[in-house]
């Protein structure tokens, strides 16, 4: 049976890896979206004979429409076009837009029996409880694409939920794992986007370098698996071979291992509950030789502390954390903020947001996006103080 799939963020790193698996056969593409890269999106829509292709950026719509004229693919544009693409009927919705922009289209894509393969962790950061509740209400199944969460999902299958004691997410430690504080202050955006093990988009690569990615993933795990903060731990593991470990009450620890390649967790989600048969890169442990583990250094990588504090504060604190971090990363990439300035600015925004009563439960997607908006404004207001320190 051919499985139909739609991809939000088809032109990105996860989108590209997903389409590489789709090329292996057994899938039919229904909808593809991008932000503004009309050329790449149109080429993909033609190659996969998609029913609908959408660019979120209104300005790119005319180009997409003209590139797709004469084909059977419908061109769509703007927020409503992306929602239309997300809502088009297919078995699987792969959610891989980067940032909070992924929330509304992913929620719009919930449908009975539909598999939501979730790469966009910001859906959970901006509206975790609401997102999981709405998915359940709609009868959709959320499957984690993020490699650590995919690993937890697989390991959890080895025991009953009430037998789970602890879950550990591993972190590669990023490209600056061994750098001194002094050297960290001089890190450039070009250095930060070069991840030692994974090939990923720029934003998540920088998050891996600050270890904020692992902090965001703690929060992601909390919402995905309903685990409390004290059940969640992180462990630095530079080889990125063991992706997560689940410890049960009887002392057994179940870990999932795989070669660090996002096509493996993506393929898991596409085929679930079956297993995909493809030429997956083999994990050759003899070649890896040894596996190393160490506790994360919170002094040099304070982002982990901030994320833990946001997780413990609950409500919309993770949303504020995520928004402030996105603003800080944009400023870092524009050379307006130093590398240590990213967690410094994010921490200051969290503090201010708490004082201003911004931490509250949200009940709608628009409500969540409202908090995101206010947190970004707060970050923009505070940025000059930190930017000054960067120069
Ligand atoms: P990329 O930056 O490579 O790709 C982002 C995709 O989203 C592109 O298709 C881009 O379109 C589109 N996009 C960007 N901004 C918007 C917007 N405002 N509205 C609509 N579409 C937009 O990101 P990644 O593939 O690396 O990451 C995607 C998501 O998956 C992120 O949430 C990330 O945290 C998560 N993830 C990624 C992993 C990885 O290995 N890359 C691992 C685990 C999770 P365009 O090309 O037109 O700009
Ligand atoms: Mg991950």
């Amino acid at each position: 049976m051919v499985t139909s799939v739609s991809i939000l963020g088809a032109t990105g790193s996860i989108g590209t890896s997903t389409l590489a698996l789709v090329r292996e056969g057994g899938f039919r593409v229904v909808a593809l979206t991008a932000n503004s890269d009309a050329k790449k999106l149109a080429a993909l829509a033609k190659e996969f004979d998609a029913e609908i292709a959408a660019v979120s950026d209104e300005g790119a719509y005319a180009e997409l429409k003209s590139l797709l004229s004469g084909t059977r693919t419908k061109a769509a544009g703007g927020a409503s076009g992306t929602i239309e693409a997300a809502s088009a009927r297919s078995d699987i919705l792969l959610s891989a837009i980067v940032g909070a922009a992924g929330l509304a289209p992913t929620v719009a894509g919930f449908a009975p029996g539909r598999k939501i393969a979730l790469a966009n962790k910001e859906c959970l950061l901006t509206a975790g409880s609401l997102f999981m509740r709405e998915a359940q209400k709609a009868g959709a199944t959320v499957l984690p694409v993020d490699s650590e969460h995919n690993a937890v999902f697989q390991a959890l299958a080895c025991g009953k939920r009430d037998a789970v004691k602890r879950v550990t997410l591993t972190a590669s430690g990023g490209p600056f794992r061994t750098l001194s504080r002094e050297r960290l202050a001089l890190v450039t955006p070009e250095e930060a986007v070069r991840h030692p093990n994974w090939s990923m988009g720029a934003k998540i690569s920088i998050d891996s370098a600050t270890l904020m990615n692992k902090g965001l993933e703690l929060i992601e795990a909390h919402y995905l698996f309903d685990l409390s903060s004290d059940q969640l731990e992180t462990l630095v593991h530079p080889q990125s071979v063991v992706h997560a470990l689940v410890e049960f009450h009887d002392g057994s620890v179940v870990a999932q291992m795989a070669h660090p390649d996002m096509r493996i967790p993506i393929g898991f989600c596409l085929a679930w509950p079956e297993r995909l048969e493809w030429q997956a890169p083999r994990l050759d442990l003899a070649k890896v030789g040894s596996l190393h583990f160490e506790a994360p250094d919170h002094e040099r990588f304070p982002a982990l502390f901030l994320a833990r504090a946001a997780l413990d504060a609950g409500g919309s604190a993770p949303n504020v954390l995520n928004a402030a971090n996105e603003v800080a990363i944009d400023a870092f990439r524009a050379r307006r903020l130093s590398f240590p300035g990213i967690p410094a600015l994010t921490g200051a925004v969290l503090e201010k947001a708490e004082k201003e009563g911004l931490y509250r439960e949200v009940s709608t997607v628009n409500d969540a996006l409202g908090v995101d908006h206010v947190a970004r404004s707060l970050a923009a207001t505070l940025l000059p103080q930190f930017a000054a320190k960067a120069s």
Side-chain angles (χ1 to χ4, degrees):
M1 205 183 76
V2 175
T3 304
S4 54
V5 53
S6 300
I7 306 172
L8 305 178
T11 50
S13 166
I14 293 287
T16 302
S17 296
T18 306
L19 288 168
L21 291 171
V22 168
R23 273 189 199 98
E24 303 262 326
F27 299 98
R28 180 171 64 82
V29 171
V30 171
L32 297 173
T33 81
N35 186 32
S36 56
D37 195 341
K39 278 193 190 62
K40 191 165 173 187
L41 184 66
L44 293 172
K46 284 180 191 166
E47 179 188 347
F48 292 97
D49 193 24
E51 287 171 23
I52 175 167
V55 275
S56 296
D57 179 353
E58 306 256 9
Y61 172 61
E63 187 186 1
L64 181 71
K65 194 166 162 49
S66 124
L67 288 167
L68 289 177
S69 72
T71 71
R72 92 174 183 113
T73 307
K74 176 181 176 185
S80 61
T82 305
I83 294 221
E84 186 185 346
S87 318
R89 189 191 289 252
S90 66
D91 300 324
I92 303 174
L93 179 67
L94 194 298
S95 165
I97 286 174
V98 65
L103 176 63
T106 308
V107 171
F110 290 167
R114 196 176 198 193
K115 290 198 285 180
I116 309 295
L118 186 68
N120 177 281
K121 55 190 82 184
E122 294 86 354
C123 282
L124 295 168
L125 290 155
T126 49
S129 308
L130 173 71
F131 183 88
M132 294 306 288
R133 202 169 53 237
E134 291 298 314
Q136 199 185 13
K137 250 201 261 169
T141 304
V142 178
L143 298 170
V145 168
D146 208 348
S147 56
E148 299 75 4
H149 306 78
N150 190 268
V152 173
F153 186 88
Q154 297 194 45
L156 282 176
C158 293
K160 291 200 170 140
R161 281 308 311 270
D162 57 7
V164 174
K165 188 167 181 188
R166 213 185 331 261
V167 167
T168 303
L169 309 179
T170 62
S172 69
F176 312 133
R177 182 173 64 90
T178 56
L179 284 197
S180 66
R181 250 172 197 277
E182 295 68 35
R183 180 63 184 82
L184 280 175
L186 305 173
V187 156
T188 64
E190 290 74 25
E191 288 174 313
V193 296
R194 254 181 264 128
H195 195 277
N197 304 343
W198 300 94
S199 150
M200 310 185 285
K203 195 263 173 184
I204 184 171
S205 297
I206 297 171
D207 279 338
S208 299
T210 58
L211 287 201
M212 181 60 91
N213 185 48
K214 214 45 54 183
L216 301 180
E217 289 183 353
L218 282 177
I219 298 169
E220 199 184 348
H222 162 74
Y223 289 116
L224 276 172
F225 306 116
D226 197 17
L227 293 162
S228 62
S229 175
D230 55 11
Q231 284 180 300
L232 287 163
E233 283 180 5
T234 58
L235 186 63
V236 172
H237 166 47
Q239 292 81 16
S240 300
V241 163
V242 175
H243 301 296
L245 307 100
V246 175
E247 182 184 341
F248 292 94
H249 283 305
D250 66 353
S252 294
V253 178
V254 179
Q256 187 264 2
M257 298 198 237
H259 184 82
D261 185 321
M262 284 310 294
R263 290 174 302 171
I264 294 176
I266 294 169
F268 175 91
C269 293
L270 292 180
W272 184 86
E274 308 299 328
R275 292 270 179 180
L276 197 67
E277 265 190 63
W278 66 290
Q279 293 296 315
R282 268 203 65 218
L283 175 61
D284 184 343
L285 283 176
K287 207 164 163 191
V288 176
S290 58
L291 299 177
H292 173 81
F293 299 93
E294 67 192 35
D297 180 347
H298 290 78
E299 298 274 311
R300 285 181 304 129
F301 300 102
L304 263 181
F305 261 141
L306 297 177
R308 178 72 76 174
L311 168 60
D312 292 340
S316 47
N319 190 349
V320 173
L321 172 87
N322 178 62
N325 178 55
E326 281 191 25
V327 172
I329 286 186
D330 285 346
F332 170 65
R333 292 180 72 186
R335 293 186 158 72
R336 295 181 61 204
L337 194 62
S338 69
F339 184 75
I342 300 173
L345 173 62
T346 306
V349 175
L350 281 169
E351 233 173 76
K352 188 133 196 280
E354 187 171 18
K355 274 195 203 124
E356 294 190 0
L358 206 60
Y359 290 180
R360 56 182 172 79
E361 289 298 335
V362 292
S363 52
T364 63
V365 166
N366 276 342
D367 205 5
L369 294 176
V371 173
D372 172 81
H373 185 74
V374 174
R376 280 168 201 272
S377 307
L378 262 182
T381 312
L382 292 174
L383 175 62
Q385 296 172 27
F386 291 86
K389 285 178 198 164
S391 53

